[in-house]
Amino acid sequence: MLNNYIDKIIIKTSKQISDLQLVLNLQRLDDRSVASGITSVCILFAELDYTFPNRGWDRIGHEYLIHIKKKLEGMEDYSPSCLGGMGGIGFCILALSKNGNRYRNFLTDFNLYYFDIIKKHIEEFKDLSSLQKNDLFLYETIYGFAGIGRYLLFFRDQRESRDLLEKILVLITRMANKNVNSLADEKYVLDCGLAHGVSGPLSLLSLSYINNIIVEGQLDAIKKISNFLIKTKTKSANGYLFPNGIILNEKNKDQTVDITTRDAWCYGSPGTCRALLLAKEATGDAKYSNCAVTVFKDVIKRNFEQQKNYSPTFCHGLSGLLTITFLFNESIRDPKFKSYQIYLVKKLLGYYNDNNVLGFQNIERDNLNKEIVSDELGILNGVTGVLLTLLAFRNQMTYTRWESILLLN
């Protein structure tokens, strides 16, 4: 019964999104990113075509892809990042390619162009001595090399992609092994999260190691970042958590800050917990997974107000938490995680609004705790992230591995 209701919502909402002109009218500034824009829709239709074959979802995805291809001209200054830029376009081609059986020439030509852009950016950061503390592009997931590296990992059997990935791993490894604190920003705050913090590069280092892409010092870097993160585990009134970040004083003595952090993919415990599970898989050291499980079990004990989860969307809402819970259950096989998935998906479905063109809306809260509601499209803050999460729950898998560009797999 639950899956039938999920199917009804997914199909109805996706049919509305299939109207390209309607979506273009909704879009602000013709956003082409996976994070917040039109590229995310291609990934949704690719996943739908696997789930409900022979219903024309791939043809709708093709229509969107043609529109995006036309926009590629004149995008020389577009961000090279994955979730926020060019890499997301590459992934949408890959997602619709049916494991490389379609769009071969398009994907090959795109990668030649994109890899050249990545190479130039790597050269800019080659000299570590020139890096400033606010060079966040070096390592973060949404706009930085952690996300770019995960895209390259899809093409690890291609020499050029592997070479570029290894160069990125060298940069991150050297920074981490030099001093994890060197990844702090200009305010001497070391972000611990998966979106903008050290959990992102930890995931990339671990996933690359698991896939036998290894550079000198990589395993040490995985252990160093992981050991740092488990030391930040903090006991609050509502159980254990990982903070948003650590503030560093002049003597580099760590001080935990923001223990009221949100339990989400972007900041806080869930994303960091997933990164530590991947670190355990890479290193074989159970202390990382044990710490992650301890914290995550406290996450699922907290109510949504304590978690600061009041949106159905992915970045800092229920979709991200549901996806990470699903992955936890795959790794740990704990009945508590399985039952929490059911609980979350029912709560998530409660946000569905049949009268809204996108079905699900993004919800933020301002400093006065007032809700700000908006219609959004992308994977992070929009309806495609919600629908992809519901499809993953329904199928108990993802066909396109879209969660990978979020550094979760």
Side-chain angles (χ1 to χ4, degrees):
M1 289 292 291
L2 183 59
N3 273 1
N4 289 339
Y5 184 53
I6 290 172
D7 287 356
K8 180 181 177 181
I9 288 176
I10 288 172
I11 291 171
K12 180 176 180 179
T13 309
S14 298
K15 283 181 177 178
Q16 291 173 180
I17 298 174
S18 68
D19 185 338
L20 176 58
Q21 193 55 53
L22 179 147
V23 170
L24 290 176
N25 290 339
L26 285 173
Q27 278 297 101
R28 295 183 297 275
L29 303 176
D30 196 20
D31 189 339
R32 282 154 274 175
S33 72
V34 165
S36 55
I38 197 169
T39 306
S40 64
V41 180
C42 293
I43 302 170
L44 172 64
F45 289 130
E47 199 74 23
L48 283 166
D49 191 54
Y50 281 109
T51 306
F52 307 107
N54 304 315
R55 297 194 189 181
W57 296 113
D58 55 340
R59 291 196 297 273
I60 301 168
H62 177 76
E63 181 185 358
Y64 270 85
L65 192 58
I66 293 301
H67 172 80
I68 293 166
K69 185 178 181 181
K70 291 177 181 176
K71 296 289 185 178
L72 280 174
E73 296 179 9
M75 289 179 63
E76 293 82 3
D77 296 327
Y78 196 49
S79 168
S81 63
C82 186
L83 286 169
M86 292 289 289
I89 295 174
F91 183 77
C92 88
I93 304 168
L94 179 64
L96 283 166
S97 74
K98 292 289 185 180
N99 295 315
N101 293 313
R102 298 177 178 176
Y103 305 113
R104 287 182 183 178
N105 292 338
F106 185 18
L107 187 58
T108 298
D109 291 344
F110 175 86
N111 278 345
L112 284 173
Y113 175 69
Y114 183 40
F115 291 172
D116 187 57
I117 292 173
I118 295 172
K119 183 178 179 180
K120 291 175 182 176
H121 276 283
I122 291 173
E123 289 299 316
E124 290 178 16
F125 289 96
K126 198 171 184 179
D127 182 9
L128 288 178
S129 63
S130 68
L131 292 174
Q132 303 298 315
K133 280 192 173 292
N134 61 347
D135 279 322
L136 298 179
F137 184 87
L138 178 66
Y139 68 92
E140 67 136 61
T141 296
I142 296 179
Y143 299 110
F145 279 131
I148 293 170
R150 185 59 189 89
Y151 178 80
L152 292 170
L153 190 58
F154 283 111
F155 304 96
R156 56 188 173 275
D157 293 333
Q158 298 179 20
R159 185 69 258 175
E160 185 176 9
S161 180
R162 190 183 184 103
D163 286 347
L164 290 171
L165 175 55
E166 287 176 351
K167 289 177 180 179
I168 289 173
L169 294 174
V170 167
L171 279 173
I172 296 173
T173 293
R174 286 179 180 173
M175 286 284 282
N177 285 334
K178 177 183 177 183
N179 186 350
V180 175
N181 293 349
S182 63
L183 298 173
D185 65 18
E186 72 278 8
K187 296 180 180 179
Y188 291 87
V189 174
L190 181 56
D191 192 316
C192 296
L194 189 57
H196 305 293
V198 297
S199 293
L202 173 61
S203 289
L204 178 65
L205 291 172
S206 299
L207 287 163
S208 299
Y209 195 90
I210 292 164
N211 285 281
N212 203 34
I213 312 294
I214 302 169
V215 299
E216 184 179 353
Q218 185 173 337
L219 188 61
D220 289 337
I222 294 170
K223 292 177 179 178
K224 182 167 282 191
I225 297 174
S226 299
N227 290 336
F228 167 82
L229 285 171
I230 63 175
K231 287 178 182 178
T232 69
K233 184 182 77 170
T234 303
K235 184 67 176 290
S236 74
N238 299 313
Y240 283 109
L241 53 78
F242 290 112
N244 275 354
I246 300 296
I247 189 167
L248 309 171
N249 66 21
E250 292 179 359
K251 295 181 180 179
N252 277 341
K253 183 179 179 181
D254 297 346
Q255 295 178 328
T256 304
V257 294
D258 198 4
I259 62 169
T260 57
T261 180
R262 171 181 275 135
D263 285 321
W265 168 80
C266 53
Y267 289 103
S269 301
T272 297
C273 286
R274 178 57 186 166
L276 286 171
L277 282 189
L278 294 173
K280 185 271 177 184
E281 190 174 344
T283 64
D285 194 332
K287 71 182 178 185
Y288 303 137
S289 57
N290 290 340
C291 179
V293 170
T294 296
V295 174
F296 200 74
K297 283 184 175 180
D298 278 357
V299 169
I300 68 176
K301 290 176 185 176
R302 295 192 268 273
N303 61 45
F304 294 139
E305 281 298 318
Q306 292 166 342
Q307 292 176 351
K308 296 187 178 180
N309 274 323
Y310 32 74
S311 179
T313 48
F314 198 97
C315 186
H316 42 251
L318 296 185
S319 290
L321 182 57
L322 174 57
T323 301
I324 294 172
T325 304
F326 168 73
L327 293 171
F328 251 83
N329 187 57
E330 274 197 329
S331 300
I332 306 299
R333 297 296 177 186
D334 188 312
K336 292 179 181 177
F337 300 146
K338 182 69 174 178
S339 61
Y340 195 63
Q341 284 185 69
I342 307 294
Y343 173 72
L344 283 177
V345 80
K346 289 179 178 178
K347 292 294 182 181
L348 181 59
L349 291 168
Y351 282 94
Y352 177 68
N353 181 358
D354 190 52
N355 296 318
N356 182 268
V357 67
L358 297 180
F360 294 92
Q361 294 175 291
N362 186 49
I363 302 171
E364 306 281 354
R365 286 187 183 177
D366 63 18
N367 294 333
L368 299 176
N369 213 33
K370 180 181 178 181
E371 286 192 352
I372 302 171
V373 181
S374 59
D375 295 321
E376 307 288 346
L377 189 65
I379 280 186
L380 290 188
N381 295 327
V383 63
T384 55
V386 179
L387 295 180
L388 285 167
T389 297
L390 289 172
L391 280 168
F393 172 82
R394 178 215 187 265
N395 297 329
Q396 288 295 291
M397 65 172 293
T398 63
Y399 291 98
T400 61
R401 301 296 300 276
W402 59 267
E403 78 282 4
S404 298
I405 60 174
L406 294 149
L407 270 295
L408 292 173
N409 243 347

